[in-house]
Amino acid sequence: MKKNILEAPFVKEMCEATANMYRLGWDERNGGNISYLLETEEVGEYLDLDKVIRTIPTGFDASALIGKIFIVTGTGKYFKNVEKDPEYNLGIVRIAKDGTTAELLWGWSDGGKFTSEFPAHMMSHISRLSVDPDHRIVMHSHPTYTIAMNAVCPIDEKDFTHRLWQSNTEAVVVFPDGVGVLPCMVCGTNEIGIATAEKMKSFRLVVWTNHGIYGTGKNMDEAFGLIETVEKTAQIYMLALGHTVNVIPDKIIKELAALWNLTPLEGILE
Ligand code: 2HA
Ligand code: ZN
């Protein structure tokens, strides 16, 4: 007898995260997407792992993830609606033995499929797992102030990171590894997926110029907390823009990092 999947902690976490992101104003309409690498044994408590509902081509080589199971938000689905109908808005997929097919184990009850950003998500999982075996979450969002700040700053990730660190004492403590920045690109493509995954080898956060941000983590709180802290800091930056008198001196940023035994990304502080 399998347990009720609607009671599964990972389904509840997806509902909670998408609801919070919607209410924060980060994810309008179908904006944003989340993928969450699950433990096979845990999924097996809820689903018959031999029962594949249908297969969906991925359009890229995900061989490094063969056999891995993810819960993912669906393409065209609204974060606003995930909580009231998880089985319609979410799907659980396993990367098949050929590495280019996803096996649907649950969800997308209308015949839907994973987010258009599935390549960026899966390629980012591969990059993050290569540097952190405990990595689990890729989260993409459209937080307003982050997009605004990116629009008024040069496309230079060290400069962008520095401005964030200078605006909020929490920033260097939460992301000493900095924020990667990609130029404006066509989203939903393998190309942006490859570019994002390249950044993800050294960053947990990547800004997509004029679009939004990716955050990653070992759990939902880490990925969410990273994006939340960038967004809060970007809000401060934008509210003060043109009026700023006090920025956090590099000396203080270094001392904050030292206090927490953190190594700030090199090449930024004097
Ligand atoms: O899924 O956010 O980047 C909608 C998007 C595309
Ligand atoms: Zn987006």
Side-chain angles (χ1 to χ4, degrees):
M1 183 63 189
K2 298 288 180 187
K3 295 198 248 176
N4 177 4
I5 186 120
L6 297 175
E7 300 293 326
F10 49 83
V11 172
K12 289 188 170 174
E13 284 178 81
M14 291 292 281
C15 291
E16 202 175 278
T18 49
N20 280 331
M21 293 165 82
Y22 173 68
R23 289 196 188 90
L24 283 162
W26 298 356
D27 293 285
E28 75 294 342
R29 200 174 180 274
N30 62 316
N33 24 77
I34 305 175
S35 60
Y36 181 175
L37 171 58
L38 304 174
E39 301 293 341
T40 302
E41 295 90 273
E42 191 181 9
V43 182
E45 293 173 23
Y46 299 92
L47 298 176
D48 177 353
L49 299 177
D50 294 325
K51 210 173 133 206
V52 174
I53 298 170
R54 54 195 159 89
T55 58
I56 310 169
T58 62
F60 60 94
D61 180 18
S63 297
L65 300 172
I66 289 171
K68 296 213 184 302
I69 300 177
F70 297 86
I71 186 164
V72 190
T73 52
T75 182
K77 303 295 195 279
Y78 294 16
F79 273 20
K80 175 168 74 74
N81 298 336
V82 173
E83 204 167 28
K84 61 185 177 200
D85 193 352
E87 191 166 1
Y88 174 85
N89 293 289
L90 304 174
I92 295 179
V93 289
R94 178 174 55 208
I95 304 300
K97 289 194 173 65
D98 63 5
T100 57
T101 308
E103 299 170 329
L104 182 67
L105 302 176
W106 175 82
W108 299 318
S109 53
D110 62 334
K113 61 182 247 180
F114 35 71
T115 164
S116 58
E117 305 299 357
F118 198 64
H121 278 252
M122 293 301 117
M123 294 177 194
S124 293
H125 280 291
I126 295 169
S127 287
R128 292 309 305 163
L129 286 166
S130 74
V131 292
D132 177 10
D134 294 329
H135 158 86
R136 294 290 177 271
I137 306 281
V138 173
M139 180 180 278
H140 167 61
S141 183
H142 301 166
T144 313
Y145 289 95
T146 302
I147 299 169
M149 178 175 169
N150 159 251
V152 301
C153 292
I155 298 174
D156 173 337
E157 58 206 12
K158 288 195 168 163
D159 178 77
F160 190 75
T161 298
H162 196 199
R163 289 172 199 252
L164 289 166
W165 289 354
Q166 287 177 318
S167 305
N168 173 3
T169 52
E170 287 303 300
V172 73
V173 179
V174 175
F175 45 90
D177 44 348
V179 180
V181 179
L182 285 181
C184 191
M185 293 177 72
V186 178
C187 50
T189 62
N190 287 350
E191 287 67 34
I192 202 167
I194 292 164
T196 307
E198 190 55 38
K199 294 285 180 205
M200 288 292 184
K201 289 177 184 164
S202 55
F203 294 106
R204 291 174 298 160
L205 285 158
V206 177
V207 166
W208 280 6
T209 292
N210 303 124
H211 182 136
I213 190 164
Y214 273 74
T216 64
K218 299 179 205 312
N219 52 49
M220 206 66 89
D221 273 353
E222 183 185 358
F224 188 91
L226 284 168
I227 295 177
E228 186 178 36
T229 308
V230 171
E231 174 62 359
K232 173 64 176 272
T233 308
Q235 182 173 8
I236 295 166
Y237 184 92
M238 292 310 295
L239 289 171
L241 186 65
H243 308 282
T244 310
V245 177
N246 305 309
V247 295
I248 306 167
D250 282 6
K251 182 174 174 292
I252 300 277
I253 298 173
K254 281 186 186 164
E255 286 172 15
L256 283 162
L259 181 66
W260 296 96
N261 289 320
L262 301 167
T263 310
L265 178 62
E266 266 179 42
I268 296 183
L269 301 173
E270 289 267 318

